[in-house]
Amino acid sequence: MSKAKVEKRSKCMKPFLKYMNVRHVFPTRYTVDMDLKKTVADEDLAENKVEIKKNLKKIFEERYLNQKEVTSEKKAAGSAYFFQKLRF
């Protein structure tokens, strides 16, 4: 794909926020090295939901456009898995 087409497709990402209990999260073999704890804090979740979504979208778009710059093969596989289209 051309660079313009990739950028156009990356603009349609829509992040969402959901508060989850840690005990209900199922671990997988894929890991993505994005630190979202600084962006999403429990205290700010109720107040600044719109701002947090905007910041998450920026982080996801940057990572989507720079997937090939990942150093580790394991993290690159996790990044590819994270950004693939869901098939239902």
Side-chain angles (χ1 to χ4, degrees):
M1 278 192 287
S2 68
K3 196 172 194 175
K5 196 170 194 179
V6 170
E7 287 183 19
K8 183 180 176 185
R9 287 187 178 187
S10 70
K11 297 293 180 193
C12 65
M13 282 188 213
K14 295 188 180 183
F16 63 92
L17 298 173
K18 183 175 181 180
Y19 186 79
M20 295 179 67
N21 189 347
V22 178
R23 294 180 184 170
H24 295 128
V25 177
F26 186 73
T28 65
R29 63 181 172 205
Y30 299 106
T31 58
V32 181
D33 62 336
M34 289 187 282
D35 189 22
L36 301 177
K37 290 182 181 181
K38 296 175 185 174
T39 307
V40 181
D42 293 337
E43 303 84 28
D44 298 336
L45 193 60
E47 299 170 0
N48 302 327
K49 213 170 195 180
V50 176
E51 292 295 322
I52 293 173
K53 283 183 186 180
K54 287 179 184 178
N55 292 339
L56 284 175
K57 185 173 181 174
K58 287 179 190 175
I59 292 171
F60 288 149
E61 284 178 356
E62 286 176 12
R63 183 55 189 264
Y64 180 74
L65 294 174
N66 300 323
Q67 285 185 44
K68 295 189 167 96
E69 295 176 6
V70 178
T71 55
S72 168
E73 288 182 28
K74 186 176 181 181
K75 291 179 183 176
S79 179
Y81 173 77
F82 185 75
F83 288 113
Q84 78 181 7
K85 186 174 181 177
L86 295 176
R87 306 285 180 185
F88 291 110

